[in-house]
Amino acid sequence: MRGTAAGLVTAGALALTGCAAASEADAGAVATAFEDPRGDPQDRCDLLAPATRAALEADGAAPCADVLGDVQLPGGDVTAVEVWGGDAQVRLGGDVVFLTETGTGWRVTAAACEPRGELPYDCEVDGP
Amino acid sequence: MSSVDEPTYGFLRSNALSLTFGGLFLATLAGQALSGTADVNAQQHTNGLEPLGVLDYVTSSSFWVDVMENWQSEYLQFFVYVFATVWLVQKGSSESKEPGKEGTETDREQRVGEHAGPDSPGWAQAGGWRTALLSRSLGLVMGGLFLLTWTASAVTGWVAFNGEQLGQRQDPVTLAGYLGEADFWNRSFQNWQSEMLAVGSMTIFAVYLRQRGSPESKPVGVAHADTGRTG
């Protein structure tokens, strides 16, 4: 009986760990794909959260795919991923990207972010 | 064992108080889940994010930190009150014992060891660690539940705090870092102060006010100065 309980706890812990690892990998993949300059601009725009995409188009007064080309996105390899609830932060070689989990997967809420010490990051691409 | 004037009740009437509060607890927890989902979704809408389902919300750290921060303060209240009333009295309050009876009292008064009756719990008669443990079990369980729920409050608060940090484009913090954050202590103190107020109010109100028929009150005609009697 004790063995069964221990097995269930282990299986549960492994499932949670596996879940978290998969979530981190997914968030990292979305952040990398969004910042990849070789990617199709339309596909990259589809990786933005709706509110962030709307803000980007409003700021640039043009469709997302056109505005995206003018934004400096340093990109790079994933160096760290933090997932907390439905939010994630992905550190790339040259940037920090923030994401939110949606019904269709992780979507970028902010990118091209510069740290400002204790203050929030200053992000060139950001939502409301 | 029943007293001579105790009527024979079925299960429901015998346990009406526990069952009623158990039901009220579940109903109000459901109310918190539904109103909390609506509240979070109003914020999600403002931020241009997708709404959450009730199941998503009740499995989130945001829901559990709100639940745990309230539970921990309730258990703290009872833990402190159970121990404080051993040593401190309030003259005239039905929530207090008589002045002069401060302390853990004698074995005869507590009906333990050789003074235990045939209807006493087995561990009251057993002596040694079992009697010692039973003699402190109420406070220990309340204190243990406080520590457990306060820890859960810290962990769920940490997860929720880091989610908010990311939403505000800020770095997440470690658990140790969260324990030094104002968010954690504000959540704790705002609940603790309300519990201390409630207990303190009840202690002093019970001196001068009455609720006829309630064991939380003295009988209506008992003097204000009369301590430790309930009606």
Side-chain angles (χ1 to χ4, degrees):
Chain A
M1 194 64 183
R2 185 179 292 176
T4 309
L8 284 173
V9 169
T10 307
L14 285 174
L16 284 175
T17 309
C19 236
S23 199
E24 288 178 6
D26 289 348
V30 169
T32 309
F34 174 70
E35 298 229 346
D36 185 355
R38 295 163 299 178
D40 177 65
Q42 194 57 52
D43 290 345
R44 294 167 64 201
C45 283
D46 290 343
L47 296 176
L48 284 169
T52 303
R53 180 174 180 156
L56 183 69
E57 291 177 335
D59 289 347
C64 172
D66 296 338
V67 182
L68 203 55
D70 299 331
V71 181
Q72 287 289 327
L73 294 169
D77 293 331
V78 175
T79 59
V81 180
E82 297 256 13
V83 174
W84 295 95
D87 292 278
Q89 180 194 53
V90 177
R91 291 182 184 277
L92 301 174
D95 196 10
V96 177
V97 182
F98 292 88
L99 304 98
T100 187
E101 195 166 27
T102 72
T104 51
W106 288 101
R107 291 293 177 265
V108 174
T109 51
C113 297
E114 290 289 333
R116 294 187 298 170
E118 293 291 304
L119 294 173
Y121 283 79
D122 181 25
C123 304
E124 193 174 342
V125 176
D126 204 348
Chain B
M1 183 181 282
S2 302
S3 62
V4 287
D5 57 350
E6 186 176 308
T8 305
Y9 279 173
F11 178 81
L12 289 179
R13 288 188 76 183
S14 294
N15 298 284
L17 200 53
S18 309
L19 291 171
T20 298
F21 276 93
L24 286 172
F25 162 67
L26 293 176
T28 49
L29 189 64
Q32 183 187 347
L34 294 175
S35 58
T37 304
D39 186 36
V40 163
N41 281 339
Q43 194 60 49
Q44 290 283 100
H45 180 72
T46 303
N47 294 333
L49 300 173
E50 288 186 359
L52 299 180
V54 175
L55 190 61
D56 290 327
Y57 178 63
V58 298
T59 53
S60 73
S61 54
S62 302
F63 174 70
W64 283 104
V65 67
D66 290 347
V67 172
M68 286 300 134
E69 74 175 40
N70 281 282
W71 286 13
Q72 57 90 11
S73 65
E74 302 302 333
Y75 287 120
L76 174 69
Q77 175 201 80
F78 282 111
F79 167 65
V80 171
Y81 201 62
V82 163
F83 271 104
T85 50
V86 174
W87 300 101
L88 305 175
V89 296
Q90 175 58 57
K91 184 172 169 56
S93 177
S94 56
E95 294 292 311
S96 166
K97 55 186 178 180
E98 299 279 358
K101 286 195 168 183
E102 291 94 332
T104 52
E105 305 180 12
T106 63
D107 285 358
R108 178 187 294 276
E109 288 168 318
Q110 290 293 314
R111 297 178 60 194
V112 295
E114 64 185 78
H115 304 287
D119 59 343
S120 298
W123 282 26
Q125 200 168 12
W129 67 270
R130 282 174 292 187
T131 300
L133 189 60
L134 178 65
S135 300
R136 296 161 181 80
S137 55
L138 186 59
L140 287 174
V141 166
M142 291 297 179
L145 285 172
F146 161 64
L147 290 178
L148 205 64
T149 50
W150 196 31
T151 302
S153 167
V155 173
T156 53
W158 173 49
V159 175
F161 181 79
N162 277 346
E164 288 166 15
Q165 286 284 101
L166 296 186
Q168 294 163 3
R169 319 293 182 245
Q170 290 182 283
D171 289 327
V173 299
T174 62
L175 178 58
Y178 178 65
L179 297 181
E181 288 285 343
D183 182 79
F184 173 65
W185 291 103
N186 183 40
R187 283 179 181 276
S188 296
F189 277 116
Q190 69 170 294
N191 282 281
W192 293 349
Q193 57 85 10
S194 65
E195 302 306 334
M196 298 309 134
L197 175 69
V199 169
S201 305
M202 183 65 190
T203 303
I204 201 71
F205 288 171
V207 176
Y208 302 103
L209 307 177
R210 308 285 187 273
Q211 187 62 48
R212 185 170 180 155
S214 174
E216 296 301 307
S217 162
K218 294 189 281 196
V220 180
V222 165
H224 292 330
D226 199 335
T227 311
R229 287 187 57 184
T230 59

